[in-house]
Amino acid sequence: MQLRFVGCGDAFGSGGRFNTCFHVTGAHFNLLIDCGASSLPALKQLGIACNDVDLILITHFHGDHFAGLPFLLLDAQFSRRTRPLVIAGPAGIAARLTQVMEALFEHSSTTPRKFELSVIELVPEETTRFGEVSVTPFAVVHGNSGGPFLGYRIEAEGKIVAYTADTEWTDRLIPLGRDADLFIAEAYTFDKPVKNHLSLAALEAHLGEIRPKRLVLTHMSEDMLRRAATLPHAAAHDGMMIDL
Ligand SMILES: [Zn+2]
Ligand SMILES: [Zn+2]
């Protein structure tokens, strides 16, 4: 299994980074985690074949995690995609997807497609299988708008990848990330508490309970990016590839 950080930026383009999108592939699966507004050009810059992606997991409905879908779907249509696509995410995702598609490309939500598109709601702490991939969402805490909010624990090929999504500290991050082979955690600030987001200090206070085998920080503010080279943890960068 491989994971590529297609985009690991925040909503403000901090550090010139692309919005959140991770590409996860194995022998028999090909999925994205999140699809922020800039994800289609970011995927193409890395030479990733978007029409080979079978599953897109969405954590929440903020533009830097979700607003790339209309571009991806439009590209799929114009490039004559035939492979079925599943988009899965928090409750209400079908209506949210229609809204964002209509806002960005009028009538695009009703244009006939040559491929089958399934939009699936995931329930926190209920595992759903997509072929050889098991996905368990956990409810995380990220404010009052743009939710519900899900972090993911994903199991495939005997390995576990966990992603906090955008969240302030919640104890649900412990079962989400426990003993994960790769734990991708938001670290928006160094130690300054910010409502709805995770600071590195808050994360570090619980790393002993989570015990990830490998930790990579993502979704960093300008201040965190300035410190990235001196941090005691790995920090993501766009294009970073991780072999599991
Ligand atoms: Zn975000
Ligand atoms: Zn967010």
Side-chain angles (χ1 to χ4, degrees), residues 9-12 19-20 34 59-60 62-65 142 163 165-167 186 188 197 219:
D10 59 7
F12 307 106
N19 295 153
T20 297
D34 277 342
T59 61
H60 64 294
H62 285 157
D64 58 317
H65 298 256
H142 186 44
Y163 171 44
D166 291 0
T167 182
E186 178 184 26
Y188 195 63
H197 288 280
H219 206 275

Short mmCIF file of all heavy atoms in Angstrom, two decimals, residues 9-12 19-20 34 59-60 62-65 142 163 165-167 186 188 197 219, ligand 1:
data_model
loop_
_atom_site.label_atom_id
_atom_site.label_comp_id
_atom_site.label_asym_id
_atom_site.label_seq_id
_atom_site.Cartn_x
_atom_site.Cartn_y
_atom_site.Cartn_z
N GLY A 9 -2.30 21.08 2.34
CA GLY A 9 -2.43 22.46 2.81
C GLY A 9 -3.73 22.69 3.57
O GLY A 9 -4.55 21.79 3.75
N ASP A 10 -3.87 23.92 4.02
CA ASP A 10 -5.09 24.32 4.74
C ASP A 10 -6.01 25.08 3.77
O ASP A 10 -5.82 25.03 2.55
CB ASP A 10 -4.71 25.16 5.97
CG ASP A 10 -3.95 26.42 5.61
OD1 ASP A 10 -3.81 26.73 4.38
OD2 ASP A 10 -3.49 27.12 6.52
N ALA A 11 -6.99 25.78 4.32
CA ALA A 11 -7.95 26.50 3.47
C ALA A 11 -7.38 27.81 2.95
O ALA A 11 -7.99 28.44 2.07
CB ALA A 11 -9.23 26.77 4.27
N PHE A 12 -6.22 28.23 3.48
CA PHE A 12 -5.68 29.55 3.13
C PHE A 12 -4.51 29.47 2.16
O PHE A 12 -3.83 30.47 1.92
CB PHE A 12 -5.25 30.28 4.42
CG PHE A 12 -6.36 30.32 5.44
CD1 PHE A 12 -6.33 29.53 6.56
CD2 PHE A 12 -7.46 31.14 5.23
CE1 PHE A 12 -7.37 29.54 7.49
CE2 PHE A 12 -8.51 31.17 6.14
CZ PHE A 12 -8.47 30.37 7.27
N ASN A 19 -4.86 22.15 -1.44
CA ASN A 19 -5.85 21.73 -0.43
C ASN A 19 -5.75 20.21 -0.22
O ASN A 19 -5.19 19.48 -1.03
CB ASN A 19 -7.28 22.04 -0.91
CG ASN A 19 -7.58 23.52 -1.05
OD1 ASN A 19 -8.43 23.90 -1.86
ND2 ASN A 19 -6.92 24.36 -0.29
N THR A 20 -6.38 19.76 0.85
CA THR A 20 -6.22 18.37 1.28
C THR A 20 -6.72 17.35 0.25
O THR A 20 -7.86 17.42 -0.24
CB THR A 20 -6.97 18.14 2.61
OG1 THR A 20 -6.35 18.95 3.61
CG2 THR A 20 -6.89 16.68 3.04
N ASP A 34 -10.39 12.84 0.78
CA ASP A 34 -10.68 14.25 0.56
C ASP A 34 -10.31 14.71 -0.85
O ASP A 34 -9.50 14.09 -1.55
CB ASP A 34 -10.03 15.15 1.62
CG ASP A 34 -10.89 15.23 2.88
OD1 ASP A 34 -12.09 14.89 2.82
OD2 ASP A 34 -10.37 15.65 3.94
N THR A 59 -14.10 13.88 4.35
CA THR A 59 -14.17 14.04 5.81
C THR A 59 -15.23 15.05 6.24
O THR A 59 -15.85 14.89 7.28
CB THR A 59 -12.81 14.48 6.39
OG1 THR A 59 -12.45 15.75 5.82
CG2 THR A 59 -11.72 13.46 6.11
N HIS A 60 -15.38 16.13 5.45
CA HIS A 60 -16.39 17.16 5.77
C HIS A 60 -16.55 18.08 4.57
O HIS A 60 -15.87 17.92 3.56
CB HIS A 60 -16.03 17.90 7.06
CG HIS A 60 -14.76 18.71 7.03
ND1 HIS A 60 -13.51 18.15 6.90
CD2 HIS A 60 -14.55 20.04 7.13
CE1 HIS A 60 -12.59 19.10 6.93
NE2 HIS A 60 -13.19 20.27 7.06
N HIS A 62 -16.13 21.41 4.08
CA HIS A 62 -15.39 22.65 3.84
C HIS A 62 -14.71 22.57 2.47
O HIS A 62 -14.28 21.49 2.04
CB HIS A 62 -14.35 22.88 4.94
CG HIS A 62 -14.96 23.33 6.24
ND1 HIS A 62 -14.34 23.16 7.45
CD2 HIS A 62 -16.16 23.95 6.50
CE1 HIS A 62 -15.12 23.66 8.41
NE2 HIS A 62 -16.23 24.13 7.86
N GLY A 63 -14.60 23.74 1.82
CA GLY A 63 -14.10 23.77 0.44
C GLY A 63 -12.72 23.18 0.26
O GLY A 63 -12.41 22.65 -0.81
N ASP A 64 -11.87 23.28 1.28
CA ASP A 64 -10.51 22.77 1.14
C ASP A 64 -10.43 21.24 1.28
O ASP A 64 -9.34 20.66 1.19
CB ASP A 64 -9.53 23.46 2.11
CG ASP A 64 -9.91 23.33 3.57
OD1 ASP A 64 -11.11 23.47 3.90
OD2 ASP A 64 -9.01 23.09 4.41
N HIS A 65 -11.59 20.59 1.49
CA HIS A 65 -11.64 19.12 1.57
C HIS A 65 -12.65 18.51 0.59
O HIS A 65 -12.62 17.31 0.34
CB HIS A 65 -12.01 18.67 2.99
CG HIS A 65 -11.00 19.10 4.01
ND1 HIS A 65 -10.09 18.25 4.57
CD2 HIS A 65 -10.75 20.33 4.54
CE1 HIS A 65 -9.31 18.93 5.42
NE2 HIS A 65 -9.69 20.18 5.42
N HIS A 142 -15.27 19.89 14.87
CA HIS A 142 -14.68 20.93 14.01
C HIS A 142 -15.65 22.09 13.80
O HIS A 142 -15.71 22.67 12.72
CB HIS A 142 -14.27 20.25 12.69
CG HIS A 142 -13.52 21.08 11.72
ND1 HIS A 142 -12.49 21.92 12.08
CD2 HIS A 142 -13.64 21.20 10.36
CE1 HIS A 142 -12.03 22.52 10.99
NE2 HIS A 142 -12.71 22.11 9.94
N TYR A 163 -6.56 8.97 9.68
CA TYR A 163 -6.48 10.41 9.40
C TYR A 163 -7.46 11.14 10.30
O TYR A 163 -8.66 10.83 10.30
CB TYR A 163 -6.78 10.66 7.92
CG TYR A 163 -6.95 12.12 7.54
CD1 TYR A 163 -6.08 13.10 8.01
CD2 TYR A 163 -7.98 12.53 6.70
CE1 TYR A 163 -6.24 14.44 7.66
CE2 TYR A 163 -8.14 13.85 6.34
CZ TYR A 163 -7.27 14.81 6.83
OH TYR A 163 -7.43 16.13 6.49
N ALA A 165 -8.56 14.14 10.07
CA ALA A 165 -9.30 15.24 9.42
C ALA A 165 -9.06 16.52 10.21
O ALA A 165 -8.13 16.59 11.03
CB ALA A 165 -10.78 14.91 9.30
N ASP A 166 -9.88 17.54 10.00
CA ASP A 166 -9.78 18.79 10.76
C ASP A 166 -10.57 18.59 12.05
O ASP A 166 -11.76 18.25 12.00
CB ASP A 166 -10.41 19.96 9.99
CG ASP A 166 -9.64 20.36 8.76
OD1 ASP A 166 -8.61 19.75 8.46
OD2 ASP A 166 -10.09 21.32 8.08
N THR A 167 -9.93 18.82 13.19
CA THR A 167 -10.63 18.59 14.46
C THR A 167 -9.88 19.22 15.61
O THR A 167 -8.64 19.32 15.56
CB THR A 167 -10.82 17.08 14.73
OG1 THR A 167 -11.55 16.90 15.96
CG2 THR A 167 -9.49 16.33 14.84
N GLU A 186 -3.77 16.31 11.82
CA GLU A 186 -3.73 17.76 11.69
C GLU A 186 -2.82 18.31 12.79
O GLU A 186 -2.86 17.83 13.93
CB GLU A 186 -5.14 18.37 11.85
CG GLU A 186 -5.07 19.88 11.75
CD GLU A 186 -6.38 20.63 11.99
OE1 GLU A 186 -7.26 20.13 12.70
OE2 GLU A 186 -6.49 21.75 11.46
N TYR A 188 -2.34 22.11 13.25
CA TYR A 188 -2.54 23.43 12.67
C TYR A 188 -1.63 24.47 13.31
O TYR A 188 -1.07 25.32 12.62
CB TYR A 188 -4.02 23.83 12.79
CG TYR A 188 -4.32 25.00 11.89
CD1 TYR A 188 -4.18 24.85 10.51
CD2 TYR A 188 -4.68 26.23 12.40
CE1 TYR A 188 -4.40 25.92 9.67
CE2 TYR A 188 -4.89 27.31 11.55
CZ TYR A 188 -4.75 27.14 10.19
OH TYR A 188 -4.94 28.20 9.35
N HIS A 197 -9.57 23.28 15.78
CA HIS A 197 -8.38 22.70 15.14
C HIS A 197 -7.44 22.09 16.18
O HIS A 197 -7.56 22.37 17.37
CB HIS A 197 -7.64 23.76 14.32
CG HIS A 197 -8.35 24.14 13.06
ND1 HIS A 197 -8.31 23.38 11.92
CD2 HIS A 197 -9.16 25.19 12.79
CE1 HIS A 197 -9.05 23.95 10.98
NE2 HIS A 197 -9.58 25.06 11.49
N HIS A 219 -1.92 19.76 7.25
CA HIS A 219 -2.85 20.90 7.44
C HIS A 219 -2.23 21.93 8.38
O HIS A 219 -2.86 22.37 9.34
CB HIS A 219 -4.18 20.35 8.00
CG HIS A 219 -5.39 21.18 7.70
ND1 HIS A 219 -5.76 22.26 8.47
CD2 HIS A 219 -6.31 21.10 6.72
CE1 HIS A 219 -6.87 22.79 7.99
NE2 HIS A 219 -7.23 22.10 6.91
ZN ZN B 1 -9.23 22.09 6.28
#
